[in-house]
Amino acid sequence: NLLTALQVGGTFKEIGATVAYENLHRRLNWGVAAEQIPYLVGAYAAGYTTLNGQTVYVEEAQRVRQTNRSLVGFGDYPLSRVQRIEALGGVQNISFSNELQTRVFDPASGGLIYDSTFNLGAPSALTMGVASAALVYDNSYFGATSPLLGSRYRVEVSPSIGDLRMVNVLLDYRRYIMPTRKLTLAGRVLHYGRYGPSSQDQRLTPLFIGYSDLVRGYNTGSFSASECPPSSTGSCPVFDRLVGSRILVGNLEARVPLLGLLGLGHGYYGAFPIEGAVF
């Protein structure tokens, strides 16, 4: 397999690219991959002000960019039809930038008067040796919309050395049972954590547990301004308690084929595969 991907948007620094080769000729699959992935966040402000006695329109855009670059070799070996081991090793570089672009316009003509970009300063780049080993199991039986029966798990350990010294641990177990023909109970236990001296390094993006695929029906829009009173540190305790270096999540969900349950059509799903869930 040869994989190539290119994503272009914004500036040249925001190009994302991946090149990977995987050899599947024998039972031991192996490959190499190189990639650059930029992550961009920022802020934008615009309004009228006075410059040298003249009313002007000013636009300011701040770009905070994290760019991940890696070169790795990887392999996986199936122990059976439902279980395999995976391994990876290589080098990773993470660079940071923080830029403020200011553009000034004449509000009468719309002409550009001033355009400049300032470097606001950013953390120094990180270079690390990375590795991972994982045991993967999956004997689940998929329906048209989701798994119906069986279990899946992934146990992975990913150490890094160099500018960051830590170990990432992933434990993900999922189980699907069908007490009756039209009902599937799905459970999951997930832990992901950073351990070691650099596990809480400020240059790392903290883990956030408030995503709706982790805590269903809950996201950043669940907050209101009244829950974040003004403080000298600019922190919001209601939000801050959802970020950290380790997460532990448990989910339980009941799934039913809606049309099949109502007898609208033939077969398990009925006339069309539409699934309803209570979680």
Side-chain angles (χ1 to χ4, degrees):
N1 284 334
L2 179 63
L3 169 67
T4 59
L6 179 67
Q7 179 176 327
V8 181
T11 67
F12 178 79
K13 297 178 181 179
E14 289 153 22
I15 292 177
T18 299
V19 178
Y21 167 80
E22 184 178 21
N23 188 304
L24 307 175
H25 184 64
R26 294 182 173 84
R27 186 170 183 175
L28 173 62
N29 301 328
W30 61 271
V32 293
E35 67 179 6
Q36 171 178 295
I37 303 178
Y39 298 93
L40 183 69
V41 296
Y44 179 82
Y48 291 94
T49 188
T50 301
L51 178 65
N52 297 329
Q54 176 187 358
T55 299
V56 295
Y57 185 75
V58 180
E59 294 180 346
E60 288 187 335
Q62 182 181 6
R63 294 187 180 91
V64 180
R65 185 184 301 106
Q66 174 183 315
T67 304
N68 292 8
R69 301 179 181 90
S70 62
L71 176 63
V72 299
F74 58 89
D76 61 78
Y77 185 84
L79 302 175
S80 68
R81 290 182 179 270
V82 297
Q83 191 175 52
R84 69 180 183 270
I85 54 176
E86 299 178 357
L88 175 148
V91 62
Q92 181 180 35
N93 174 267
I94 304 176
S95 62
F96 308 89
S97 66
N98 187 357
E99 300 172 343
L100 178 65
Q101 182 183 26
T102 303
R103 305 175 72 190
V104 180
F105 297 89
D106 184 334
S109 65
L112 180 64
I113 300 174
Y114 178 76
D115 186 357
S116 67
T117 300
F118 293 96
N119 186 349
L120 299 180
S124 57
L126 304 170
T127 301
M128 299 158 288
V130 294
S132 71
L135 177 64
V136 184
Y137 179 89
D138 188 349
N139 75 342
S140 59
Y141 176 79
F142 270 72
T145 56
S146 64
L148 300 175
L149 286 167
S151 60
R152 308 157 67 191
Y153 66 74
R154 183 181 185 91
V155 180
E156 183 174 1
V157 178
S158 305
S160 63
I161 59 174
D163 291 335
L164 291 181
R165 294 182 295 116
M166 63 181 182
V167 178
N168 296 325
V169 177
L170 172 65
L171 305 173
D172 188 351
Y173 177 79
R174 309 181 188 201
R175 175 73 173 170
Y176 313 98
I177 61 175
M178 186 178 283
T180 65
R181 187 173 181 272
K182 296 293 185 180
L183 172 66
T184 291
L185 299 178
R188 175 178 72 168
V189 177
L190 170 68
H191 169 64
Y192 181 76
R194 297 167 177 160
Y195 296 86
S198 303
S199 61
Q200 301 195 47
D201 191 290
Q202 295 299 311
R203 291 169 292 185
L204 292 171
T205 301
L207 305 178
F208 178 63
I209 206 172
Y211 294 114
S212 58
D213 57 346
L214 294 178
V215 181
R216 297 289 294 272
Y218 192 73
N219 53 51
T220 54
S222 302
F223 299 98
S224 65
S226 61
E227 295 179 279
C228 298
S231 68
S232 57
T233 61
S235 64
C236 176
V238 175
F239 183 85
D240 293 344
R241 68 186 181 189
L242 301 179
V243 299
S245 60
R246 302 167 192 171
I247 65 173
L248 177 64
V249 176
N251 301 122
L252 182 62
E253 183 175 88
R255 304 169 180 169
V256 294
L258 287 180
L259 300 186
L261 188 65
L262 297 174
L264 302 178
H266 301 288
Y268 178 79
Y269 286 101
F272 196 77
I274 300 177
E275 186 176 76
V278 178
F279 53 87

